[in-house]
Amino acid sequence: MENKWILSLGALILLFQFSIAQEDADLIWWNPAESNSLVVEGQAWQGEIISTYRRLPKQAEGVVREAVWNLSKHSAGLSLRFRSDAKSITVRYKVKGNHAMPHMPATGVSGVDLYAKTSDGDWRWYRGKYSFADTIQYKYSNIDPNEKYHDKGREYQLYLPLYNEVEWLEIGVPEDAVMEPLPLRQEKPIVVYGTSIAHGACASRPGMAWTSILGRELDRPLINLAFSGNGRMEEEVINFITQIDAKIFVLDCLPNLGATKDRSLEEVRQLIISGVKQIRTKRPSTPILVVEHDGYSDGAVDVDRYKTYTDLNRIAKEAFAQLQSEGLRDIHLLTKEELNLSMESFVDGTHPTDLGMMEYAVAYEKALREILKEPIGSISTTIPVTQAREPEMYPWEGRHQELLEMNRDSAPKICFFGNSITHYWGGEPKATLSNGADSWKANLDELQVRNFGFGWDRVENVLWRIYHDELDGFEAEQIVLMIGTNNEHLNTDDEILKGLEMVINAIKERQPNARVLLLGLFPRVDKEERMRNLNNGIAALATSKNVDYADIGKVLLGKDNKIDAGLFSDGLHPNAKGYRKVGKILKLALQEGKN
């Protein structure tokens, strides 16, 4: 009887193993290491990395200390982005180190973490069922990939292990699903040089590291060059960091710079000063943020620990004041008080819990938004987000990246921001649809107008695009803005105007010498009065912000102040004849601004 039971149990195990193997056989697998294009987010030296999931280039071996080099093999801060309509996603991979540490769980040390964006730019987190063995596996099931606008799936971001080296990794989706790796983003990254805390200790999972949270909140690439116990403001490491064309450099190394028998506080001061100057010499215009020690949760009861971080923070303030007195510009200090970690924010008195990580991220976001001039508000029109509402027509992020590349190659004289009315008018970059190409060519081409219109964009989407470098790195003569009609069914006039004001402020911050032309919104079928009233508010806003205003859409109305249906394709978008009428008026408005 006992033998029969053992045989039955063995048969069940074999059946289970067979079913798992069969399930895996029904998946198609993507191995990023075998990709024809660069796909690993968070790496600064693309194409110069020895192994797919490391952080420093091969040239760093033998130049930085061995401990730093070995820690750079950890995939902290690295992620993979892809689009899929799969109803289930499986990740399998192998790491080279121990799965867990005494103070940090396997899910943080060696786990992965999956997030996605909706078509309206909202983040979603996915719960994976995981197993830690020689091969680690995460399975994400019961995914509803459908969006309210389309059935093309979502954009995913998979965060890689914080404290381990990934040997190999594959992502599997069902055979009938779409799996599209997304190209690397071209926006300038945030670069963080730090210690074990920035490395990720002791987040419960990779997405909860403060660097990951900050990257999501600012929606910008972030390069994590933190090395546990070894963030020491070393010249060799900073030399590599200065090779990066960063949006901002963050120096969060004080927890690894406590005074020892081999290092005095005066030497710490000099390390801070020399490190900042080293970056400023190579990167004269990039902001630098120096960060104080976040403290220890037992500082109130341990005199030595209290003295350690208070001395370091005093030295940081003195070094910062000296740098300012010597005329270094665009340097900033984030203090312990601004970090504002509580007694309950630590695992072991030193490394943050998830609560501490969130407090870190909140403080950093506040500081960086102020430094980078990227404020946000509390209503939807004032919170910058991406969108993917029309993927069957064009890739929203792809068009954004194309504009960044075009701007670098040849600066536009006039930038025309808008939604589908602008996008499908004509010009460059080319769209799949062009309803007014002849009008654009006749009226706007000779003025060197570049089309910054994106189908389905709302005010908050344009705000995101301006915050993400679309007006950086060149000087335009004019900026034209016509946005807000897609907010009509969601927001009040006042909310739309508040968002437009933030957009104008963002434009002026980045293009202070450009003339700004604010256009009234085109009339819409059965909503002519609403658009007229909203345009009155837009005209008043233009006056208050000292920018020009033109209501070029008035020519699309009949004598009864209703839209002339013969000038529209659908009651919202002009047809070719309508574009010819508004094109002539826009050309005159642009030429007037040059005189």
Side-chain angles (χ1 to χ4, degrees), residues 315-444:
I315 290 297
K317 287 183 174 71
E318 292 173 1
F320 182 73
Q322 180 177 332
L323 289 164
Q324 285 186 311
S325 71
E326 293 179 10
L328 272 76
R329 301 178 63 84
D330 212 358
I331 60 172
H332 309 268
L333 183 68
L334 181 60
T335 67
K336 175 183 179 299
E337 291 70 30
E338 290 168 324
L339 288 171
N340 196 32
L341 268 67
S342 68
M343 181 179 68
E344 310 297 348
S345 303
F346 299 82
V347 171
D348 52 6
T350 301
H351 301 97
T353 59
D354 285 355
L355 171 62
M357 289 292 185
M358 184 61 71
E359 290 168 338
Y360 248 97
V362 168
Y364 264 106
E365 182 185 359
K366 181 179 179 182
L368 265 61
R369 284 199 178 280
E370 183 175 342
I371 295 167
L372 301 177
K373 307 296 190 295
E374 296 181 6
I376 61 172
S378 57
I379 56 178
S380 63
T381 54
T382 62
I383 302 173
V385 292
T386 62
Q387 60 101 342
R389 303 183 184 105
E390 203 173 28
E392 67 278 358
M393 286 291 291
Y394 77 104
W396 191 91
E397 183 180 305
R399 184 171 173 84
H400 168 64
Q401 300 298 340
E402 185 178 6
L403 273 171
L404 295 184
E405 186 173 353
M406 290 180 69
N407 293 345
R408 283 194 296 269
D409 291 343
S410 62
K413 286 189 176 181
I414 301 176
C415 308
F416 187 178
F417 284 87
N419 49 45
S420 55
I421 295 172
T422 305
H423 186 171
Y424 302 125
W425 189 333
E428 298 283 346
K430 286 190 177 297
T432 56
L433 176 68
S434 183
N435 292 323
D438 61 333
S439 167
W440 188 286
K441 185 175 181 62
N443 298 294
L444 304 180

